[in-house]
Amino acid sequence: MSSTAQTASAFIEGAPPGEQVYFLKPPFRTPEFTLRVDIKALTIKEPNVLSSLGPAFKKYHEEQFTAVKLPGGSQQVIISSHNEIEEGRYYDIESQSSFSYDHTTQEASAVQSYNLESQHSDLVKSILKSLSSHAKEHYPSPSTSYGVYPIENDSAIAILTVASKYSPNNFWNGRWRSLYIYSPSSNSLKGSIRVDVHYYEDGNVRLLTEKPLSSSVSSGSAPDIVRQIAQGEKKYQEDLNRAFGQLSEGAFKGLRRQLPVTRQKIEWEKISSYRLGQDIGGGRSR
């Protein structure tokens, strides 16, 4: 891969939530909620590089649990490595369908009927039902998607939730992702929560956090599995709220001097009459 392709791929894979780059052909097509990251400018001398960026888009969409609405459908479904049937084709249990997905154009097509074949199909569907209630209660709709999929040769179950919120008019975007792996044989539940928030008004601040979680679900029932998830996510949300409060009252205040070196407040309405070095700095005029 050329250095230009590597640079462009890095831009794509590192794009904050809601600020991804999409294109059909130059010029780039950008959804209303996105900021335009001009990959075209990076590849203007090597236009053939554009056709090699498919793997970067694929990696981004699968890792970010990108949600897409199927043709004729009303609910968004998740794109991830956990529900990929074959290259570029995915399935969704709730809608009982499989579909092709173009990572470059971010469009779903070729929808077909899909029936889950798994020894844990009843448990998967029960978890999906409980997860649906959990998501509707705790996450904003319709910007939330979820999915439950058998993985690892049908020996484990992946439980995914993604909730995104975009506010470009207020210069911020954010996404919550959670992934849990449940093992029916050991009744263990392991996973992580990832939060990604980007604030870019007169600056560029990005929050990236990851919280690992693990627990044991002795009953192995779907309601108990989702209950463990809900408890862990609630506690992490409370921890984040406390951390932000401490930042506001502690570290952030330390970044800004409370008073000038003279220990006196500046009277801004008189700022034009101050003499630099005397009134502000405390020095003498010559």
Side-chain angles (χ1 to χ4, degrees):
M1 182 181 289
S2 69
S3 60
T4 301
Q6 290 178 338
T7 301
S9 295
F11 268 102
I12 294 169
E13 294 172 13
E19 299 166 39
Q20 306 91 333
V21 184
Y22 305 103
F23 64 88
L24 286 170
K25 57 183 179 180
F28 294 98
R29 185 192 70 174
T30 309
E32 293 180 357
F33 59 82
T34 66
L35 296 179
R36 177 169 175 157
V37 182
D38 199 353
I39 301 299
K40 182 181 178 182
L42 297 175
T43 60
I44 191 168
K45 293 182 179 180
E46 299 179 54
N48 292 333
V49 167
L50 295 176
S51 61
S52 68
L53 298 180
F57 282 103
K58 183 177 188 291
K59 181 180 179 181
Y60 181 88
H61 291 144
E62 290 186 347
E63 290 184 350
Q64 293 291 321
F65 303 160
T66 294
V68 61
K69 185 177 292 186
L70 301 182
S74 59
Q75 186 171 336
Q76 291 189 323
V77 300
I78 287 178
I79 302 296
S80 79
S81 61
H82 304 289
N83 61 322
E84 185 179 28
I85 303 173
E86 57 189 41
E87 184 67 26
R89 191 162 187 86
Y90 304 83
Y91 72 93
D92 176 65
I93 294 175
E94 194 166 35
S95 63
Q96 297 184 331
S97 58
S98 67
F99 55 94
S100 295
Y101 184 76
D102 189 321
H103 292 279
T104 300
T105 63
Q106 201 192 11
E107 294 177 344
S109 62
V111 179
Q112 298 177 0
S113 176
Y114 181 84
N115 293 318
L116 177 65
E117 295 181 2
S118 168
Q119 62 177 327
H120 303 299
S121 59
D122 290 340
L123 179 58
V124 167
K125 293 176 182 178
S126 296
I127 295 175
L128 187 62
K129 183 178 179 180
S130 296
L131 187 65
S132 173
S133 299
H134 167 69
K136 290 176 182 177
E137 181 179 357
H138 296 286
Y139 294 95
S141 179
S143 59
T144 300
S145 300
Y146 48 86
V148 182
Y149 316 103
I151 59 171
E152 299 176 4
N153 296 319
D154 209 17
S155 65
I157 299 173
I159 305 169
L160 285 64
T161 302
V162 57
S164 303
K165 193 166 185 179
Y166 309 126
S167 186
N169 291 335
N170 295 309
F171 306 98
W172 67 266
N173 298 303
R175 176 173 295 139
W176 170 293
R177 286 173 291 156
S178 62
L179 166 63
Y180 306 94
I181 306 299
Y182 174 70
S183 172
S185 62
S186 63
N187 288 331
S188 64
L189 181 69
K190 297 181 180 180
S192 63
I193 302 169
R194 295 181 178 181
V195 177
D196 187 349
V197 180
H198 184 214
Y199 181 75
Y200 48 91
E201 181 179 17
D202 296 329
N204 188 21
V205 179
R206 188 173 182 184
L207 169 73
L208 289 167
T209 70
E210 181 174 3
K211 174 68 174 180
L213 297 173
S214 64
S215 63
S216 178
V217 186
S218 57
S219 69
S221 69
D224 285 348
I225 292 171
V226 176
R227 189 176 297 112
Q228 289 286 342
I229 290 173
Q231 290 174 355
E233 292 184 349
K234 179 182 179 182
K235 184 180 184 303
Y236 186 53
Q237 178 67 67
E238 292 171 347
D239 290 344
L240 282 177
N241 290 340
R242 282 193 293 269
F244 287 140
Q246 292 170 358
L247 282 173
S248 177
E249 296 301 320
F252 285 165
K253 279 190 175 181
L255 294 175
R256 176 175 294 179
R257 187 188 297 274
Q258 299 298 305
L259 291 171
V261 292
T262 60
R263 309 299 297 172
Q264 296 178 350
K265 293 183 177 180
I266 294 177
E267 298 182 55
W268 292 103
E269 66 275 8
K270 298 180 181 179
I271 192 67
S272 61
S273 64
Y274 281 128
R275 288 171 293 176
L276 185 64
Q278 179 176 351
D279 295 339
I280 294 180
R284 294 182 177 179
S285 60
R286 295 181 179 180

